[in-house]
Amino acid sequence: MRAARLHGYDQRLQIDEVPTPELRGPHDVIVRIGGAGLCRTDLHIIEGIWQEKSGVQLPYTLGHENAGWVEAVGDAVTSVRAGDAVIVHPLITCGLCPACRSGEDMHCEHGRFPGITTDGGFAEYLLTGERALVRLAEGVEPAQVAPYADAGLTAYRAARKAAGLLRPGRWAVVLGIGGLGHLALQCLQHLSAARLIAVDPSPTARELARELGADHVVDGSDPVAAVRELTGGGAHVVVDLVGERGVQQQAVAMLRQGGTHVVVGYGDTLQVPTIDLIFSEISIVGSLVGSHTELSELMSLHAAGKLELRTRRYRLDDINQAIEDLQQGRIKGRAVLVP
Amino acid sequence: MRAARLHGYDQRLQIDEVPTPELRGPHDVIVRIGGAGLCRTDLHIIEGIWQEKSGVQLPYTLGHENAGWVEAVGDAVTSVRAGDAVIVHPLITCGLCPACRSGEDMHCEHGRFPGITTDGGFAEYLLTGERALVRLAEGVEPAQVAPYADAGLTAYRAARKAAGLLRPGRWAVVLGIGGLGHLALQCLQHLSAARLIAVDPSPTARELARELGADHVVDGSDPVAAVRELTGGGAHVVVDLVGERGVQQQAVAMLRQGGTHVVVGYGDTLQVPTIDLIFSEISIVGSLVGSHTELSELMSLHAAGKLELRTRRYRLDDINQAIEDLQQGRIKGRAVLVP
Amino acid sequence: MRAARLHGYDQRLQIDEVPTPELRGPHDVIVRIGGAGLCRTDLHIIEGIWQEKSGVQLPYTLGHENAGWVEAVGDAVTSVRAGDAVIVHPLITCGLCPACRSGEDMHCEHGRFPGITTDGGFAEYLLTGERALVRLAEGVEPAQVAPYADAGLTAYRAARKAAGLLRPGRWAVVLGIGGLGHLALQCLQHLSAARLIAVDPSPTARELARELGADHVVDGSDPVAAVRELTGGGAHVVVDLVGERGVQQQAVAMLRQGGTHVVVGYGDTLQVPTIDLIFSEISIVGSLVGSHTELSELMSLHAAGKLELRTRRYRLDDINQAIEDLQQGRIKGRAVLVP
Amino acid sequence: MRAARLHGYDQRLQIDEVPTPELRGPHDVIVRIGGAGLCRTDLHIIEGIWQEKSGVQLPYTLGHENAGWVEAVGDAVTSVRAGDAVIVHPLITCGLCPACRSGEDMHCEHGRFPGITTDGGFAEYLLTGERALVRLAEGVEPAQVAPYADAGLTAYRAARKAAGLLRPGRWAVVLGIGGLGHLALQCLQHLSAARLIAVDPSPTARELARELGADHVVDGSDPVAAVRELTGGGAHVVVDLVGERGVQQQAVAMLRQGGTHVVVGYGDTLQVPTIDLIFSEISIVGSLVGSHTELSELMSLHAAGKLELRTRRYRLDDINQAIEDLQQGRIKGRAVLVP
């Protein structure tokens, strides 16, 4: 089959002919890819940022945001069968470690992460496990929903953490209204009744925030001052989808006494004097991709027609064009590769 | 009356003769001081670290950790009367702002903080408000419990935040077994059934940790490695009573996937790459002094005989000696000034 | 002033000329009534059901759902002033007991409940306390919002308890779409993304539920079977605004394994075999009127235009007509008395 | 192998020679029984109370509280191997349904319950699944810990529900200090710092409660009055291990405003006027056996030496004697059958 593989850091991906993956264990599942989302993490992988953390050997196939149809299943698989349309949770989990047992399966001690630590979904077929799959509702097309598998799931988990701290009348800020941010904004609207401020330096992103119904939309010129004034003293929660270029520091500066900074975007280093942590009693909360349960919940929101996901499709062969478009900020919403 | 006042930053306190405070508002209460604890924050105030945050004018009387007897009460006071033995919550709160309404009164929008923003308790009498007082159980002497008002309350709140994340078999680390740490350790023992590791470079402090029943006691040579090995991959929660000299960075490095760093001590700046916040999905949680409700709970623990508070008494006139002893690490437990 | 008073159980109210209330304590506030909602609890009071619990002496003025304008304030009042438009939390609380301290002020140990235990708002003026008041946003008319003070606040608190248990894709049932139910339904829509089923035997009420956007609307013929089929095994949460005529038993029979019955309506006795409580691991959760903080949150929802409150106005002199209309089920939404 | 089987309701068990169970699925595990606890639920099964709920066909082998050694494992088993000493969670769960995914595996949609719905552990060997097993710490003997698998786990889960509502100074009551109660009491001591009142009509049970350090011990003559007086108005939480003979009603009558009745014991019907549920805003919370995660946590408490489990051993052949002793209240702690 054809697959887009990384042969060296800071290089373009190559479309290679590689063996189709085969079932090896009793819970393995082969998924025929319907669509695979392109993520900023793919750019970071190509830049080599993840090299040490993932420990992966080159070349390998990227793509960790996948949906498609079940092609073949291992002997012990009971919950899906060939032909089922599915979205693929990014992690293959064991189901038996303490994290899996307690519902936090994205912290699985034996988790494998196709597209990051093993071959992913920028290909015709993907090897994953039964535990990773969520069946799609009748009539939902895989390519249409693939970005929920990672971008959506990450946005949803961050929004859940934020919503747990928000009550009507409280203020939340979403920093960065891109692929994740436009979903985080919508999830917050459905999971809380807080007042929402969207911040983005890009006019296109701000227009999107307005279309999606943000209560206030702020540009990047002096967002800290703007938020402090709107909120009368700072936000209760800031969801930061950027995490670099100083935005991570702005997030902290926007917080009200007792406020929480939910960190989703990454790249730079956060610096906070400990006296500020104490005196304002603020929290800084990292947020990873969500659990399988959270992916199911997100697909329920989608099935109920409550979310608008912006995507742009590319053929698998055009992946380097998609990467370039993402790097240049030319994509509104999320790029999806269709093999 | 006599009071120990700060006339200039980085100077010794002076014992001055000042007017005895008088009732001004209907909820005011005058407390005759039985004991006032000396806190590392007093050292930081003298060093000028709080100058900008507090906006206080010199000279003024320090002392924010007070207990004593009610001397006089304002017209509208109903909950205490003259002669009652009381411990004094450090903050005078309004009772009407959203923070007070929701039980988080230490975030009161109109809070005054005697000993930090107005005259405190290193004196014969203190002006405070009805809402700050917790009546002591029969037979409890004020000088014996004064350090609970701030050191104890801060340790208790941090322990409660930690305990909410701990279940039997999980691991918690307490960094720094001094005035706050020896109480945080005991509170954690009573609020959770987690396994507790105490870390301190001082042999005296480690001995105290052992006496108090810490499951493991670690010195300061390579605490990160020691904790990671004991816990098989990192602690679920680290309570950091130091917050400076690099300890704040060690705290983060000790955390397990999904772990939480509760920051209580302060002084230096915490630096965390956002990718580490995300990838390990850790949280950093500032913790201030506790609420009035938490002070009541802490006094219940004391009344039940569950806490051992180490104090050393000084006469008010010897306050500069006490300050020097604290600076030199010569005090086991907490210094209490008795007028 | 004129006031509608109860002189004997099971009798009509009388419009009496009574002395206008006067300030007695430093935190007292006199409110000129703009509107006072009529509640099913008023019917229960007239029937004598509350006689023993309230211990009130007849005659007295009913009316516990009030809004208006501040007329006069006691000496120590700082948070409102004459002329302010306000909604009145039904309870006058002390601010100093453990319940008030922890944000659960509707459990105040010294609470007084005008309209139930003392004179209420079916009158021109009401004596209440500073702690009971929430200032209205610019342009909001008291008569328009009075029912939020009790019906709305009770519905909101129940919805919050329910929402804490609901996640996208889960099922909630609202039993009874009357004065409280039509608000509980809307609050649930804003506080959760669960799927909502409205149940009511009245065609008018079901029409209202449809207009408000319930996902499913069920009549009273066999609601247990209907809910079990729609939900594939039972609801996660049932909010029961009826609590009598067997509905309280239907609520339990509708629950899924691990489900929760939130009880708001009252009248009959709930009977549950303990084996069913265990085997299905269900919870039964009583819900009272909400806290002051919850009233503020509810007014934020209203100010954001998220709630539709159906009211019908009566002159104070027509109160017995209003009572009869409520008894006969002739009121869509909530009756409001305007003096 | 030999097994104690029920051939007819209200009859004595028979020791039969039956085929040893065999591996059928890839995650099956055969456990050689080291000890199997005798539970009041076994009495209820023999009486026929569970007949309808379990739908089991007679004859079959009772025994749902098992520990032993792994004898053989299915092809896909990775987490245990032959020879491991294990305690057996009572439920065989699927790992894939929403309940298992979210950490509430005792609500598994496909759960099987050996000893209740299929053959149990009053035998030499037991067929269970990999997901049910918790490995024992070095040196722990299965017969010594078997009662944790159900009695302990049920007590622990109830104590956790209670502990989540308890803070220092609050009051909890444990009703019934038998097999479950003496463990619930100890778990509460380790999971909270509340004040604990133990209630039991039996002098032996009360003596046990005193030995275990209950703060107050009350007999059965008028426990409601005794608790209301000790607590100054009622308990915050009552854990009811009895659930019959009127005790379930006493539990409700002991509650303070806002209190919670955790129901563990069963037999009779609970009756509560809905007005009492509302007016006192109380909750009634059923509690089943715990999750696998909770069993691990409980075994951590045991491994830390924090629990004292009273057992009395019988040979499997003497099972009817054990049953009679349990019925007659002649067993202090828990009976364990050793094959």
Side-chain angles (χ1 to χ4, degrees):
Chain A
M1 68 169 188
R2 293 162 66 75
R5 300 204 300 170
L6 179 68
H7 285 258
Y9 293 106
D10 285 319
Q11 296 181 10
R12 293 164 62 91
L13 300 189
Q14 293 181 25
I15 305 291
D16 298 330
E17 190 64 35
V18 298
T20 299
E22 290 178 8
L23 299 170
R24 291 175 303 205
H27 293 286
D28 281 358
V29 175
I30 307 291
V31 171
R32 179 160 61 87
I33 293 295
L38 179 66
C39 175
R40 200 162 288 275
T41 287
D42 293 312
L43 305 190
H44 290 314
I45 291 171
I46 293 169
E47 292 160 9
I49 289 182
W50 284 84
Q51 185 171 4
E52 194 184 335
K53 285 190 190 286
S54 71
V56 76
Q57 295 298 314
L58 304 190
Y60 82 116
T61 307
L62 301 195
H64 55 273
E65 199 173 81
N66 306 304
W69 298 269
V70 172
E71 180 75 15
V73 304
D75 289 345
V77 170
T78 58
S79 59
V80 292
R81 54 184 175 178
D84 285 352
V86 290
I87 186 165
V88 185
H89 187 278
L91 214 57
I92 306 174
T93 60
C94 74
L96 294 165
C97 71
C100 284
R101 293 281 197 181
S102 64
E104 299 283 311
D105 50 11
M106 72 279 146
H107 289 166
C108 175
E109 291 176 8
H110 310 101
R112 286 163 294 146
F113 211 132
I116 294 188
T117 62
T118 66
D119 287 326
F122 291 158
E124 292 175 70
Y125 295 95
L126 170 76
L127 174 64
T128 182
E130 174 180 24
R131 287 183 54 79
L133 302 178
V134 174
R135 276 207 306 260
L136 297 177
E138 194 70 31
V140 177
E141 189 206 355
Q144 186 186 1
V145 295
Y148 286 126
D150 181 46
L153 183 53
T154 301
Y156 177 73
R157 182 170 176 87
R160 277 196 70 222
K161 290 191 179 190
L165 303 164
L166 292 168
R167 296 169 63 159
R170 293 197 175 177
W171 291 95
V173 177
V174 179
L175 297 177
I177 311 300
L180 271 79
H182 85 294
L183 290 169
L185 185 66
Q186 295 176 70
C187 291
L188 274 170
Q189 288 171 322
H190 290 294
L191 298 179
S192 86
R195 291 181 280 186
L196 302 180
I197 302 172
V199 179
D200 204 301
S202 145
T204 317
R206 291 202 300 277
E207 191 192 314
L208 177 56
R210 274 188 214 96
E211 288 169 30
L212 295 171
D215 294 301
H216 299 271
V217 178
V218 166
D219 67 22
S221 57
D222 189 353
V224 173
V227 166
R228 295 199 77 86
E229 189 181 334
L230 278 168
T231 58
H236 297 81
V237 182
V238 175
V239 181
D240 171 8
L241 289 321
V242 182
E244 52 187 358
R245 300 188 303 275
V247 171
Q248 78 280 8
Q249 299 300 133
Q250 293 175 340
V252 171
M254 282 176 189
L255 291 176
R256 173 184 299 260
Q257 183 78 2
T260 298
H261 174 200
V262 180
V263 185
V264 184
Y266 59 89
D268 283 346
T269 288
L270 184 67
Q271 303 199 14
V272 197
T274 48
I275 193 175
D276 292 350
L277 284 163
I278 309 319
F279 191 72
S280 302
E281 205 174 27
I282 56 174
S283 296
I284 295 162
V285 173
S287 193
L288 194 62
V289 76
S291 69
H292 185 277
T293 294
E294 289 171 327
L295 183 55
S296 294
E297 292 167 6
L298 179 62
M299 297 315 291
S300 290
L301 279 181
H302 172 81
K306 294 186 173 173
L307 298 178
E308 188 177 345
L309 173 62
R310 305 276 172 111
T311 60
R312 175 166 160 194
R313 300 196 188 183
Y314 292 81
R315 292 184 311 132
L316 181 55
D317 289 351
D318 297 333
I319 186 155
N320 288 302
Q321 180 63 50
I323 289 171
E324 200 186 307
D325 288 350
L326 176 59
Q327 280 166 332
Q328 303 300 323
R330 288 193 295 251
I331 301 172
K332 193 168 177 179
R334 195 81 168 176
V336 173
L337 282 299
V338 178
Chain B
M1 68 171 187
R2 293 163 65 77
R5 301 203 300 169
L6 179 68
H7 286 257
Y9 293 107
D10 286 319
Q11 295 181 10
R12 291 164 64 91
L13 300 188
Q14 294 180 24
I15 304 291
D16 299 331
E17 188 65 33
V18 298
T20 299
E22 291 179 6
L23 297 170
R24 290 175 304 205
H27 293 285
D28 280 358
V29 175
I30 307 290
V31 171
R32 179 161 60 89
I33 294 295
L38 179 66
C39 176
R40 199 163 289 275
T41 288
D42 293 311
L43 304 190
H44 290 314
I45 291 170
I46 295 169
E47 292 160 9
I49 289 182
W50 283 84
Q51 184 171 4
E52 194 185 336
K53 285 190 191 284
S54 72
V56 78
Q57 296 298 314
L58 304 190
Y60 81 119
T61 308
L62 301 195
H64 55 274
E65 199 173 82
N66 305 303
W69 299 269
V70 172
E71 180 75 16
V73 304
D75 289 345
V77 169
T78 58
S79 59
V80 291
R81 53 185 176 179
D84 284 352
V86 292
I87 186 166
V88 186
H89 187 278
L91 214 57
I92 305 174
T93 61
C94 74
L96 294 165
C97 70
C100 284
R101 293 280 197 181
S102 63
E104 298 282 313
D105 50 12
M106 72 280 146
H107 289 164
C108 175
E109 292 177 7
H110 310 102
R112 286 163 294 146
F113 210 131
I116 294 188
T117 64
T118 65
D119 285 327
F122 291 158
E124 291 175 71
Y125 295 95
L126 171 76
L127 173 64
T128 183
E130 175 179 22
R131 288 183 54 78
L133 303 178
V134 175
R135 277 207 306 261
L136 296 177
E138 194 70 31
V140 177
E141 189 206 355
Q144 185 186 3
V145 294
Y148 286 126
D150 181 47
L153 183 52
T154 301
Y156 177 71
R157 181 169 175 88
R160 276 197 71 220
K161 291 191 179 190
L165 303 164
L166 291 168
R167 297 168 63 157
R170 293 196 176 177
W171 290 95
V173 177
V174 180
L175 298 178
I177 310 300
L180 272 78
H182 87 292
L183 290 169
L185 185 66
Q186 294 176 71
C187 290
L188 274 169
Q189 288 170 323
H190 290 294
L191 299 178
S192 85
R195 291 180 280 186
L196 302 181
I197 303 172
V199 179
D200 204 300
S202 144
T204 317
R206 290 203 300 277
E207 191 191 315
L208 176 56
R210 271 186 215 99
E211 286 170 31
L212 294 171
D215 295 301
H216 299 270
V217 178
V218 166
D219 67 23
S221 57
D222 189 353
V224 173
V227 166
R228 297 199 75 87
E229 188 179 337
L230 278 169
T231 58
H236 297 81
V237 182
V238 175
V239 181
D240 172 7
L241 290 319
V242 183
E244 53 187 357
R245 300 188 304 275
V247 171
Q248 78 279 10
Q249 299 298 132
Q250 292 175 340
V252 171
M254 281 174 188
L255 292 176
R256 173 184 299 257
Q257 183 79 1
T260 297
H261 174 199
V262 180
V263 185
V264 185
Y266 59 88
D268 283 346
T269 289
L270 184 67
Q271 303 200 14
V272 197
T274 47
I275 193 174
D276 291 351
L277 283 164
I278 309 320
F279 191 72
S280 302
E281 204 173 29
I282 56 175
S283 296
I284 296 162
V285 173
S287 194
L288 194 63
V289 76
S291 67
H292 184 278
T293 295
E294 288 171 326
L295 182 56
S296 294
E297 292 167 5
L298 178 62
M299 296 316 291
S300 290
L301 280 181
H302 173 81
K306 295 188 172 174
L307 298 178
E308 188 177 345
L309 172 62
R310 305 276 172 111
T311 59
R312 176 168 159 194
R313 300 195 188 183
Y314 293 80
R315 293 183 312 131
L316 180 56
D317 289 350
D318 297 333
I319 187 156
N320 288 302
Q321 180 63 48
I323 288 171
E324 198 185 309
D325 287 349
L326 176 59
Q327 280 167 334
Q328 303 300 323
R330 288 194 293 252
I331 301 172
K332 193 169 178 179
R334 196 80 167 175
V336 174
L337 281 299
V338 178
Chain C
M1 68 170 188
R2 295 164 64 76
R5 300 203 300 170
L6 179 69
H7 285 257
Y9 292 108
D10 287 320
Q11 295 180 11
R12 291 163 63 90
L13 300 189
Q14 293 180 25
I15 304 291
D16 298 331
E17 189 64 33
V18 297
T20 299
E22 291 177 9
L23 297 171
R24 291 175 302 206
H27 293 285
D28 280 359
V29 176
I30 308 291
V31 171
R32 178 159 61 88
I33 294 294
L38 179 66
C39 175
R40 198 162 289 276
T41 287
D42 294 312
L43 305 190
H44 290 315
I45 290 171
I46 294 169
E47 291 160 10
I49 289 182
W50 283 84
Q51 184 171 4
E52 195 185 336
K53 285 190 190 283
S54 72
V56 77
Q57 296 298 315
L58 303 190
Y60 82 118
T61 308
L62 302 195
H64 56 275
E65 198 173 81
N66 305 304
W69 297 269
V70 172
E71 180 74 16
V73 304
D75 289 345
V77 169
T78 58
S79 59
V80 292
R81 52 184 176 180
D84 284 353
V86 291
I87 187 166
V88 186
H89 187 280
L91 214 57
I92 305 173
T93 61
C94 74
L96 293 166
C97 71
C100 284
R101 292 279 197 182
S102 64
E104 298 282 313
D105 50 11
M106 71 281 145
H107 289 165
C108 176
E109 291 176 7
H110 310 103
R112 287 164 292 145
F113 210 132
I116 295 189
T117 64
T118 66
D119 287 325
F122 291 158
E124 292 174 70
Y125 295 94
L126 170 75
L127 173 64
T128 183
E130 175 180 22
R131 288 183 54 80
L133 303 178
V134 175
R135 277 207 306 260
L136 297 177
E138 194 70 29
V140 176
E141 189 205 355
Q144 185 186 2
V145 296
Y148 286 126
D150 181 46
L153 183 53
T154 301
Y156 177 72
R157 182 170 174 88
R160 275 197 71 220
K161 290 192 180 191
L165 302 164
L166 291 168
R167 295 169 63 158
R170 293 196 174 177
W171 289 95
V173 177
V174 180
L175 297 178
I177 310 298
L180 271 78
H182 86 292
L183 289 170
L185 185 65
Q186 294 176 73
C187 290
L188 274 170
Q189 288 171 323
H190 290 293
L191 297 179
S192 85
R195 291 181 281 187
L196 303 180
I197 302 172
V199 179
D200 204 300
S202 144
T204 318
R206 291 203 300 278
E207 192 191 314
L208 176 56
R210 272 185 215 98
E211 287 169 30
L212 294 171
D215 295 302
H216 300 271
V217 178
V218 165
D219 68 21
S221 57
D222 189 353
V224 173
V227 166
R228 297 199 77 86
E229 190 180 336
L230 277 169
T231 57
H236 297 80
V237 182
V238 176
V239 181
D240 172 8
L241 291 318
V242 183
E244 54 187 356
R245 299 188 305 275
V247 170
Q248 78 279 10
Q249 299 299 134
Q250 292 174 340
V252 171
M254 282 174 189
L255 292 177
R256 173 184 298 259
Q257 183 79 2
T260 297
H261 174 200
V262 180
V263 185
V264 185
Y266 60 89
D268 282 347
T269 289
L270 183 67
Q271 302 199 13
V272 196
T274 46
I275 193 174
D276 291 351
L277 283 163
I278 309 319
F279 191 72
S280 302
E281 204 174 26
I282 57 174
S283 296
I284 296 162
V285 173
S287 194
L288 194 62
V289 75
S291 67
H292 184 278
T293 295
E294 288 171 328
L295 182 55
S296 294
E297 292 167 4
L298 179 61
M299 297 316 291
S300 290
L301 279 181
H302 172 81
K306 294 187 172 173
L307 298 178
E308 189 176 346
L309 173 61
R310 305 276 173 113
T311 59
R312 176 167 160 193
R313 299 194 188 184
Y314 292 81
R315 293 183 310 133
L316 181 56
D317 289 351
D318 297 334
I319 187 157
N320 289 303
Q321 181 62 50
I323 288 171
E324 198 187 309
D325 287 350
L326 176 59
Q327 280 167 334
Q328 303 301 323
R330 287 194 295 250
I331 300 172
K332 193 169 179 178
R334 197 79 166 177
V336 173
L337 281 300
V338 178
Chain D
M1 67 171 188
R2 294 163 65 76
R5 301 204 300 170
L6 178 68
H7 285 257
Y9 293 107
D10 286 319
Q11 294 182 11
R12 291 164 64 92
L13 300 189
Q14 293 180 26
I15 304 290
D16 298 330
E17 189 65 33
V18 298
T20 299
E22 291 178 7
L23 298 170
R24 290 175 304 206
H27 293 285
D28 281 358
V29 175
I30 307 291
V31 171
R32 179 160 62 87
I33 294 295
L38 179 65
C39 176
R40 200 161 288 275
T41 287
D42 293 312
L43 305 189
H44 290 314
I45 291 170
I46 294 169
E47 292 160 9
I49 289 181
W50 283 85
Q51 183 170 4
E52 195 183 335
K53 285 190 191 282
S54 73
V56 77
Q57 295 300 313
L58 304 191
Y60 82 117
T61 308
L62 300 196
H64 56 273
E65 199 172 81
N66 306 303
W69 298 269
V70 172
E71 180 76 14
V73 304
D75 289 345
V77 169
T78 58
S79 58
V80 292
R81 53 185 177 179
D84 284 352
V86 291
I87 186 165
V88 186
H89 187 278
L91 214 57
I92 306 174
T93 61
C94 75
L96 295 164
C97 70
C100 284
R101 292 280 198 181
S102 63
E104 299 282 312
D105 51 10
M106 72 279 145
H107 289 164
C108 175
E109 292 177 7
H110 309 102
R112 286 163 294 146
F113 210 133
I116 294 189
T117 63
T118 65
D119 286 327
F122 291 157
E124 292 175 71
Y125 295 94
L126 170 76
L127 173 63
T128 183
E130 175 180 22
R131 287 183 54 80
L133 303 178
V134 175
R135 277 207 306 260
L136 297 177
E138 194 70 28
V140 177
E141 188 206 355
Q144 185 186 2
V145 294
Y148 287 126
D150 181 46
L153 184 53
T154 300
Y156 177 71
R157 181 171 177 86
R160 276 197 71 221
K161 291 191 179 191
L165 303 164
L166 291 168
R167 296 168 65 157
R170 295 196 173 177
W171 290 95
V173 177
V174 179
L175 298 178
I177 311 298
L180 270 79
H182 86 293
L183 290 170
L185 185 65
Q186 295 176 72
C187 290
L188 274 169
Q189 288 170 322
H190 291 293
L191 298 179
S192 84
R195 291 181 280 186
L196 302 180
I197 302 171
V199 179
D200 204 301
S202 146
T204 318
R206 290 202 301 277
E207 191 191 316
L208 176 56
R210 271 185 217 99
E211 287 168 29
L212 295 171
D215 295 301
H216 300 271
V217 178
V218 166
D219 68 22
S221 57
D222 189 353
V224 173
V227 166
R228 297 200 75 87
E229 190 180 336
L230 278 169
T231 57
H236 297 82
V237 182
V238 176
V239 181
D240 172 7
L241 289 320
V242 183
E244 54 186 358
R245 300 188 303 276
V247 172
Q248 78 280 7
Q249 299 299 133
Q250 293 174 339
V252 171
M254 281 174 190
L255 291 177
R256 173 184 298 257
Q257 183 79 0
T260 298
H261 174 200
V262 179
V263 185
V264 184
Y266 60 89
D268 282 347
T269 289
L270 184 66
Q271 303 200 14
V272 196
T274 46
I275 193 174
D276 291 350
L277 283 164
I278 309 319
F279 191 72
S280 303
E281 204 174 27
I282 56 175
S283 296
I284 296 162
V285 173
S287 193
L288 194 63
V289 76
S291 67
H292 185 278
T293 294
E294 288 171 328
L295 183 54
S296 293
E297 291 167 6
L298 179 62
M299 298 315 291
S300 289
L301 279 181
H302 172 81
K306 294 187 172 173
L307 299 177
E308 189 177 345
L309 172 63
R310 305 277 172 112
T311 60
R312 176 168 160 193
R313 299 195 188 184
Y314 292 82
R315 292 183 313 131
L316 180 56
D317 289 351
D318 297 334
I319 187 156
N320 289 303
Q321 182 61 50
I323 289 171
E324 199 186 309
D325 287 350
L326 176 59
Q327 281 167 334
Q328 303 301 321
R330 287 194 294 251
I331 301 172
K332 192 168 178 178
R334 196 82 167 175
V336 173
L337 282 300
V338 179

